Protein backbone atom coordinates (compact mmCIF):
# COMPACT_ATOMS: atom_id res chain seq x y z
CA UNK A 1 0.00 0.00 0.00
CA UNK A 2 2.78 2.41 1.01
CA UNK A 3 4.53 2.18 -2.37
CA UNK A 4 1.27 3.03 -4.12
CA UNK A 5 0.96 6.28 -2.22
CA UNK A 6 4.41 7.53 -3.10
CA UNK A 7 4.92 9.07 -6.51
CA UNK A 8 8.45 7.90 -7.26
CA UNK A 9 9.99 10.74 -9.28
CA UNK A 10 13.40 9.12 -9.31
CA UNK A 11 12.02 5.98 -10.95
CA UNK A 12 9.87 7.87 -13.46
CA UNK A 13 12.78 10.22 -14.34
CA UNK A 14 15.04 7.23 -14.81
CA UNK A 15 12.53 5.68 -17.24
CA UNK A 16 12.29 8.95 -19.21
CA UNK A 17 16.10 9.21 -19.39
CA UNK A 18 16.26 5.63 -20.64
CA UNK A 19 13.72 6.46 -23.37
CA UNK A 20 15.79 9.51 -24.35
CA UNK A 21 19.00 7.47 -24.43
CA UNK A 22 17.41 5.01 -26.87
CA UNK A 23 16.08 7.82 -29.08
CA UNK A 24 19.51 9.47 -29.03
CA UNK A 25 21.17 6.33 -30.35
CA UNK A 26 18.67 6.33 -33.26
CA UNK A 27 19.12 10.04 -33.91
CA UNK A 28 22.89 9.65 -34.06
CA UNK A 29 22.87 6.65 -36.36
CA UNK A 30 19.99 7.70 -38.65
CA UNK A 31 20.43 11.47 -38.94
CA UNK A 32 24.00 11.92 -37.62
CA UNK A 33 22.72 14.43 -35.08
CA UNK A 34 24.06 14.53 -31.51
CA UNK A 35 21.90 16.67 -29.20
CA UNK A 36 24.07 19.49 -27.79
CA UNK A 37 23.44 21.53 -24.64
CA UNK A 38 25.41 24.59 -23.49
CA UNK A 39 25.51 25.61 -19.83
CA UNK A 40 26.49 29.08 -18.65
CA UNK A 41 27.40 29.34 -14.98
CA UNK A 42 28.09 32.80 -13.57
CA UNK A 43 29.87 33.34 -10.23
CA UNK A 44 30.37 30.69 -7.58
CA UNK A 45 26.99 29.96 -6.05
CA UNK A 46 27.55 26.44 -4.59
CA UNK A 47 23.97 25.25 -5.28
CA UNK A 48 24.18 26.43 -8.90
CA UNK A 49 27.47 24.57 -9.35
CA UNK A 50 25.89 21.36 -8.00
CA UNK A 51 22.85 21.76 -10.29
CA UNK A 52 24.92 22.40 -13.43
CA UNK A 53 27.27 19.49 -12.63
CA UNK A 54 24.31 17.20 -12.21
CA UNK A 55 22.68 18.36 -15.48
CA UNK A 56 25.93 18.01 -17.41
CA UNK A 57 26.47 14.50 -15.96
CA UNK A 58 22.99 13.54 -17.16
CA UNK A 59 23.92 14.76 -20.67
CA UNK A 60 26.85 12.32 -20.63
CA UNK A 61 24.61 9.48 -19.43
CA UNK A 62 22.14 9.85 -22.30
CA UNK A 63 24.77 10.41 -24.99
CA UNK A 64 24.42 14.18 -25.49
CA UNK A 65 27.24 16.60 -26.20
CA UNK A 66 27.50 19.35 -23.59
CA UNK A 67 29.71 22.32 -22.82
CA UNK A 68 29.91 24.36 -19.61
CA UNK A 69 31.22 27.93 -19.67
CA UNK A 70 32.05 29.40 -16.27
CA UNK A 71 32.13 33.17 -16.00
CA UNK A 72 33.38 35.21 -13.01
CA UNK A 73 31.02 37.01 -10.63
CA UNK A 74 32.09 40.42 -11.95
CA UNK A 75 31.37 39.63 -15.61
CA UNK A 76 29.47 42.27 -17.59
CA UNK A 77 26.07 41.85 -19.20
CA UNK A 78 27.69 42.39 -22.61
CA UNK A 79 30.17 39.55 -22.06
CA UNK A 80 27.40 37.11 -21.14
CA UNK A 81 25.33 38.17 -24.16
CA UNK A 82 28.35 37.74 -26.43
CA UNK A 83 28.78 34.16 -25.20
CA UNK A 84 25.05 33.46 -25.64
CA UNK A 85 25.28 34.83 -29.18
CA UNK A 86 28.07 32.43 -30.07
CA UNK A 87 25.90 29.52 -28.86
CA UNK A 88 22.88 30.92 -30.73
CA UNK A 89 24.91 30.67 -33.95
CA UNK A 90 26.51 27.30 -33.18
CA UNK A 91 24.72 24.51 -35.09
CA UNK A 92 26.02 21.84 -32.72
CA UNK A 93 24.15 23.47 -29.84
CA UNK A 94 20.40 22.77 -29.62
CA UNK A 95 19.83 24.12 -26.12
CA UNK A 96 21.25 26.98 -24.04
CA UNK A 97 20.84 27.16 -20.28
CA UNK A 98 21.95 30.11 -18.15
CA UNK A 99 21.82 28.90 -14.56
CA UNK A 100 19.86 31.26 -12.29
CA UNK A 101 20.14 33.19 -10.06
CA UNK A 102 22.59 35.62 -11.67
CA UNK A 103 24.67 38.14 -9.67
CA UNK A 104 22.52 41.12 -8.63
CA UNK A 105 24.15 43.58 -11.08
CA UNK A 106 22.88 41.51 -14.04
CA UNK A 107 19.26 41.84 -15.21
CA UNK A 108 18.04 38.25 -15.64
CA UNK A 109 15.33 39.08 -18.18
CA UNK A 110 17.80 40.85 -20.48
CA UNK A 111 19.98 37.74 -20.41
CA UNK A 112 17.10 35.32 -21.02
CA UNK A 113 15.90 37.48 -23.93
CA UNK A 114 19.33 37.20 -25.54
CA UNK A 115 18.88 33.42 -25.90
CA UNK A 116 17.40 32.35 -29.25
CA UNK A 117 13.93 31.21 -28.09
CA UNK A 118 14.32 28.23 -30.41
CA UNK A 119 17.17 27.05 -28.15
CA UNK A 120 15.55 28.10 -24.85
CA UNK A 121 15.22 24.59 -23.41
CA UNK A 122 14.54 26.09 -19.95
CA UNK A 123 11.33 27.59 -21.36
CA UNK A 124 11.99 30.96 -19.66
CA UNK A 125 12.04 33.22 -22.75
CA UNK A 126 8.98 35.52 -23.07
CA UNK A 127 8.27 33.99 -26.50
CA UNK A 128 7.97 30.52 -24.93
CA UNK A 129 6.00 31.79 -21.91
CA UNK A 130 3.61 33.63 -24.26
CA UNK A 131 3.09 30.53 -26.40
CA UNK A 132 2.56 28.45 -23.26
CA UNK A 133 -0.30 30.73 -22.19
CA UNK A 134 -1.81 30.56 -25.69
CA UNK A 135 -1.53 26.76 -25.65
CA UNK A 136 0.84 26.79 -28.67
CA UNK A 137 3.78 24.49 -29.22
CA UNK A 138 6.76 25.70 -27.16
CA UNK A 139 9.43 24.66 -24.70
CA UNK A 140 7.73 24.15 -21.33
CA UNK A 141 9.69 25.17 -18.21
CA UNK A 142 11.25 21.97 -16.88
CA UNK A 143 9.80 21.79 -13.36
CA UNK A 144 6.13 22.31 -14.36
CA UNK A 145 6.70 20.02 -17.37
CA UNK A 146 8.12 17.37 -15.02
CA UNK A 147 5.07 17.67 -12.76
CA UNK A 148 2.72 17.08 -15.72
CA UNK A 149 4.68 13.91 -16.55
CA UNK A 150 4.46 12.74 -12.92
CA UNK A 151 0.68 13.22 -13.04
CA UNK A 152 0.28 11.49 -16.42
CA UNK A 153 2.57 8.57 -15.69
CA UNK A 154 0.92 8.02 -12.27
CA UNK A 155 -2.53 8.00 -13.93
CA UNK A 156 -3.79 10.90 -11.83
CA UNK A 157 -7.08 12.29 -13.17
CA UNK A 158 -6.89 16.10 -13.45
CA UNK A 159 -10.14 16.86 -15.31
CA UNK A 160 -12.27 19.29 -13.31
CA UNK A 161 -10.12 18.86 -10.21
CA UNK A 162 -9.73 21.67 -7.71
CA UNK A 163 -6.05 22.45 -7.87
CA UNK A 164 -4.19 24.77 -5.53
CA UNK A 165 -0.72 26.01 -6.37
CA UNK A 166 1.11 27.60 -3.46
CA UNK A 167 3.76 29.97 -4.83
CA UNK A 168 3.70 32.38 -7.78
CA UNK A 169 7.28 32.26 -9.11
CA UNK A 170 8.13 32.70 -12.78
CA UNK A 171 9.81 29.27 -12.77
CA UNK A 172 7.03 27.20 -11.13
CA UNK A 173 3.79 28.81 -9.92
CA UNK A 174 2.96 31.05 -12.90
CA UNK A 175 3.70 28.55 -15.69
CA UNK A 176 2.21 25.62 -13.72
CA UNK A 177 -1.12 27.40 -13.27
CA UNK A 178 -1.29 28.22 -16.97
CA UNK A 179 -0.48 24.67 -18.04
CA UNK A 180 -3.09 23.07 -15.79
CA UNK A 181 -5.96 25.26 -17.03
CA UNK A 182 -5.28 24.16 -20.63
CA UNK A 183 -7.78 21.75 -22.22
CA UNK A 184 -5.24 18.94 -21.93
CA UNK A 185 -5.58 18.99 -18.11
CA UNK A 186 -8.85 20.86 -17.41
CA UNK A 187 -8.04 21.72 -13.79
CA UNK A 188 -9.72 24.55 -11.89
CA UNK A 189 -6.70 26.40 -10.54
CA UNK A 190 -6.19 28.74 -7.58
CA UNK A 191 -2.78 30.33 -7.08
CA UNK A 192 -1.99 31.14 -3.43
CA UNK A 193 1.04 33.02 -2.14
CA UNK A 194 2.54 34.68 0.94
CA UNK A 195 -0.23 37.31 1.13
CA UNK A 196 -3.18 34.94 0.60
CA UNK A 197 -5.65 35.17 3.50
CA UNK A 198 -6.88 31.95 5.12
CA UNK A 199 -4.96 29.63 2.82
CA UNK A 200 -6.76 26.62 4.38
CA UNK A 201 -9.99 27.81 2.73
CA UNK A 202 -8.29 26.83 -0.55
CA UNK A 203 -6.19 23.84 0.45
CA UNK A 204 -9.00 22.06 2.36
CA UNK A 205 -11.01 22.08 -0.87
CA UNK A 206 -8.16 20.94 -3.11
CA UNK A 207 -7.95 17.58 -4.89
CA UNK A 208 -4.43 18.44 -6.05
CA UNK A 209 -1.96 20.68 -4.16
CA UNK A 210 1.35 21.81 -5.65
CA UNK A 211 3.62 23.48 -3.12
CA UNK A 212 6.50 25.71 -4.25
CA UNK A 213 7.10 28.39 -1.65
CA UNK A 214 10.50 27.48 -0.21
CA UNK A 215 9.33 27.05 3.40
CA UNK A 216 10.47 23.79 5.00
CA UNK A 217 7.64 21.45 6.11
CA UNK A 218 5.02 24.17 5.49
CA UNK A 219 2.01 22.05 4.44
CA UNK A 220 0.47 20.17 7.39
CA UNK A 221 -2.21 17.47 7.57
CA UNK A 222 -4.80 19.82 9.08
CA UNK A 223 -4.57 21.95 5.91
CA UNK A 224 -5.47 19.14 3.47
CA UNK A 225 -8.51 17.16 2.36
CA UNK A 226 -8.49 13.38 2.76
CA UNK A 227 -7.13 11.52 -0.30
CA UNK A 228 -5.77 14.63 -2.06
CA UNK A 229 -2.68 14.42 -4.27
CA UNK A 230 0.33 16.43 -3.06
CA UNK A 231 3.24 17.54 -5.25
CA UNK A 232 6.17 18.96 -3.28
CA UNK A 233 8.51 21.23 -5.25
CA UNK A 234 10.52 22.42 -2.22
CA UNK A 235 14.21 21.75 -1.71
CA UNK A 236 15.22 23.16 1.70
CA UNK A 237 18.35 22.55 3.72
CA UNK A 238 17.68 22.29 7.44
CA UNK A 239 20.07 21.62 10.30
CA UNK A 240 20.28 17.99 11.32
CA UNK A 241 22.70 17.01 14.07
CA UNK A 242 22.08 13.32 13.28
CA UNK A 243 23.41 13.68 9.74
CA UNK A 244 27.13 13.52 8.92
CA UNK A 245 26.81 16.63 6.76
CA UNK A 246 25.08 18.50 9.58
CA UNK A 247 21.99 19.15 7.44
CA UNK A 248 19.25 17.34 5.59
CA UNK A 249 17.07 18.18 2.61
CA UNK A 250 13.33 18.54 3.22
CA UNK A 251 10.47 19.73 1.04
CA UNK A 252 7.78 22.38 1.53
CA UNK A 253 5.42 19.62 2.72
CA UNK A 254 5.54 17.96 6.13
CA UNK A 255 5.70 14.52 4.52
CA UNK A 256 5.31 12.40 7.68
CA UNK A 257 2.41 14.50 8.90
CA UNK A 258 0.50 14.46 5.56
CA UNK A 259 1.29 10.90 4.49
CA UNK A 260 -1.57 9.12 6.26
CA UNK A 261 -4.31 11.54 5.14
CA UNK A 262 -3.32 12.18 1.52
CA UNK A 263 -4.02 9.93 -1.47
CA UNK A 264 -0.66 10.31 -3.18
CA UNK A 265 2.47 12.34 -2.44
CA UNK A 266 5.91 13.05 -3.89
CA UNK A 267 8.89 12.57 -1.55
CA UNK A 268 11.84 14.97 -1.16
CA UNK A 269 14.39 14.06 -2.30
CA UNK A 270 13.33 11.74 -5.13
CA UNK A 271 10.12 13.41 -6.28
CA UNK A 272 10.01 16.52 -8.47
CA UNK A 273 13.78 17.19 -8.44
CA UNK A 274 14.90 14.34 -10.73
CA UNK A 275 12.03 15.15 -13.11
CA UNK A 276 13.29 18.71 -13.68
CA UNK A 277 16.57 17.41 -15.10
CA UNK A 278 14.84 14.68 -17.14
CA UNK A 279 12.59 17.27 -18.82
CA UNK A 280 15.54 19.55 -19.60
CA UNK A 281 17.10 16.63 -21.44
CA UNK A 282 13.77 15.87 -23.12
CA UNK A 283 13.44 19.51 -24.31
CA UNK A 284 16.98 19.36 -25.70
CA UNK A 285 16.24 16.13 -27.57
CA UNK A 286 13.06 17.62 -29.08
CA UNK A 287 15.04 20.73 -30.06
CA UNK A 288 17.69 18.60 -31.80
CA UNK A 289 14.94 16.72 -33.66
CA UNK A 290 13.35 20.01 -34.76
CA UNK A 291 10.08 18.94 -33.16
CA UNK A 292 9.29 22.22 -31.39
CA UNK A 293 10.54 24.82 -33.90
N1 LIG B 1 17.70 27.87 -11.07
C1 LIG B 1 16.83 27.11 -10.36
N2 LIG B 1 16.14 26.31 -11.18
C2 LIG B 1 16.56 26.56 -12.44
C3 LIG B 1 16.23 26.04 -13.71
O1 LIG B 1 15.35 25.18 -13.87
N3 LIG B 1 16.93 26.56 -14.76
C4 LIG B 1 17.86 27.51 -14.61
N4 LIG B 1 18.47 27.96 -15.70
N5 LIG B 1 18.20 28.02 -13.44
C5 LIG B 1 17.55 27.55 -12.36
Amino acid sequence: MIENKIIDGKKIASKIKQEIKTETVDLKSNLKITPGLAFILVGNNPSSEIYVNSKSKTCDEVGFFSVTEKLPDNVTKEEIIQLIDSFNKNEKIHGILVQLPLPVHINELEIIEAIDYKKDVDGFHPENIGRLILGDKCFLPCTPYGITELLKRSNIETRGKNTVIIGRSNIVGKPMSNILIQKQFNCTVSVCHSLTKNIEDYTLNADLIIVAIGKPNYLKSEMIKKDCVIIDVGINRIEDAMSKRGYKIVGDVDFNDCFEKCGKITPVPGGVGPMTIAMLIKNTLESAKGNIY
Side-chain angles (χ1 to χ4, degrees), residues 55 97-100 122 124:
K55 291 170 188 178
L97 182 148
V98 180
Q99 186 65 27
L100 303 180
D122 252 333
F124 293 167

Side-chain angles (χ1 to χ4, degrees), residues 150-263:
L150 284 180
L151 296 172
K152 281 185 195 169
R153 291 178 187 239
S154 308
N155 296 315
I156 291 164
E157 176 66 77
T158 55
R159 191 169 164 202
K161 299 292 181 190
N162 287 340
T163 299
V164 170
I165 298 169
I166 309 180
R168 53 176 158 180
S169 70
N170 289 344
I171 295 183
V172 184
K174 284 183 203 164
M176 190 79 256
S177 58
N178 280 287
I179 293 169
L180 291 177
I181 57 169
Q182 306 282 349
K183 289 234 163 89
Q184 205 188 340
F185 296 99
N186 292 305
C187 290
T188 302
V189 178
S190 306
V191 182
C192 299
H193 48 79
S194 55
L195 294 183
T196 301
K197 289 186 188 134
N198 304 324
I199 211 158
E200 295 84 356
D201 289 351
Y202 298 88
T203 54
L204 282 170
N205 242 321
D207 306 302
L208 170 60
I209 308 179
I210 299 172
V211 197
I213 42 160
K215 289 188 187 164
N217 298 320
Y218 169 80
L219 191 78
K220 306 285 185 194
S221 61
E222 61 265 26
M223 299 168 74
I224 65 171
K225 187 169 84 167
K226 193 171 178 312
D227 293 333
C228 68
V229 174
I230 303 175
I231 306 288
D232 188 351
V233 185
I235 302 176
N236 308 289
R237 260 188 201 199
I238 61 166
E239 263 184 46
D240 178 22
M242 304 291 282
S243 150
K244 253 190 194 166
R245 301 175 294 187
Y247 68 88
K248 65 175 176 178
I249 302 291
V250 300
D252 291 349
V253 176
D254 191 332
F255 183 92
N256 292 331
D257 190 41
C258 292
F259 186 78
E260 191 78 18
K261 194 172 177 186
C262 74

Side-chain angles (χ1 to χ4, degrees), residues 21-41:
K21 196 172 172 178
T22 308
E23 277 194 60
T24 303
V25 171
D26 291 347
L27 194 62
K28 282 178 175 173
S29 65
N30 297 341
L31 298 177
K32 313 284 176 242
I33 295 172
T34 301
L37 182 49
F39 299 100
I40 300 175
L41 181 59

